Amino acid sequence: LAKTTQPISMDSYEGQEVNITCSHNNIATNDYITWYQQFPSQGPRFIIQGYKTKVTNEVASLFIPADRKSSTLSLPRVSLSDTAVYYCLVEVSNYQLIWGAGTKLIIKP
Amino acid sequence: NAGVTQTPKFRVLKTGQSMTLLCAQDMNHEYMYWYRQDPGMGLRLIHYSVGEGTTAKGEVPDGYNVSRLKKQNFLLGLESAAPSQTSVYFCASSSRQYTEAFFGQGTRLTVV
């Protein structure tokens, strides 16, 4: 059974690149990895999704090594508004949705 | 375009009372989900639906029932509320599996 593990919290500074890693053992070849962002008193918001190598969109990049035992969300040049909780999600083929406990990211000026 | 709307936003129940949470989406999505979120535990899937008239159990279904009589609505029912069901409940929808899910603003439920 897949399980996701991510750091509880991280700090960084404005303008820096932030990398948040999620460990996920026992995931299958076709399982997708998705990252969401959540602000207080709001629902999670989709950031990026992939299942192998590298995916990039206008706000983030997702790196998945060949063994797929982890994935890294990369946020380029963060700002204060990126302070939020970031969740890693593994979507397994039989409708299992395995969420990490979330990483609280604090961006300092 | 409202997206995903949850009703109510807040509710306090006494132990043993029942209630229904309503989720409505206007994106014509096939898939809908109910989650609960507790401090330090991330989101846990309660029930989900892959289309009108279908429902299935998620990770933590006990004590909850759901119905999807119309494609745009997904109802979550608590027949006899317990303090352990105090949580924030989120509804979400997506067009298909393995794609972006859109979440509502959440319902904060307290059972006393």
Side-chain angles (χ1 to χ4, degrees), chain B residues 29-90:
Chain B
H29 284 168
E30 291 292 337
Y31 288 63
M32 296 188 75
Y33 316 82
W34 275 108
Y35 288 96
R36 60 178 289 172
Q37 185 174 42
D38 301 295
M41 297 188 71
L43 285 89
R44 291 184 292 170
L45 184 64
I46 304 171
H47 286 280
Y48 64 96
S49 168
V50 301
E52 181 179 316
T54 73
T55 63
K57 294 180 180 180
E59 180 186 357
V60 289
D62 294 343
Y64 305 95
N65 56 76
V66 288
S67 64
R68 182 108 182 260
L69 299 179
K70 294 183 178 181
K71 185 176 183 178
Q72 64 268 33
N73 296 337
F74 196 28
L75 279 62
L76 178 70
L78 286 72
E79 293 183 344
S80 179
S84 60
Q85 294 177 304
T86 292
S87 188
V88 180
Y89 291 84
F90 286 101

Side-chain angles (χ1 to χ4, degrees), chain A residues 36 38 49 87 93 97 99, chain B residues 35 37 48 98 100-101 103:
Chain A
Y36 284 84
Q38 186 178 29
Q49 182 183 68
Y87 289 97
S93 58
L97 298 166
W99 292 77
Chain B
Y35 288 96
Q37 185 174 42
Y48 64 96
Y98 306 132
E100 177 180 0
F103 283 79

Side-chain angles (χ1 to χ4, degrees), chain A residues 24 41 87:
Chain A
H24 28 74
S41 301
Y87 289 97

Side-chain angles (χ1 to χ4, degrees), chain A residues 19-96:
Chain A
N19 296 312
I20 307 174
T21 297
C22 176
S23 298
H24 28 74
N25 57 354
N26 297 325
I27 70 169
T29 304
N30 295 326
D31 294 346
Y32 276 73
I33 298 149
T34 312
W35 284 82
Y36 284 84
Q37 176 192 56
Q38 186 178 29
F39 297 110
S41 301
Q42 294 187 21
R45 185 174 68 176
F46 175 90
I47 302 173
I48 197 166
Q49 182 183 68
Y51 74 100
K52 64 178 180 179
T53 61
K54 177 183 175 182
V55 179
T56 298
N57 62 22
E58 63 275 10
V59 298
S61 294
L62 176 60
F63 299 93
I64 304 169
D67 66 9
R68 304 182 79 241
K69 291 185 177 181
S70 66
S71 60
T72 299
L73 172 71
S74 180
L75 303 172
R77 301 179 60 81
V78 293
S79 65
L80 296 177
S81 63
D82 291 315
T83 293
V85 178
Y86 291 82
Y87 289 97
C88 166
L89 164 67
V90 173
E91 300 189 58
V92 180
S93 58
N94 60 348
Y95 299 105
Q96 284 192 72

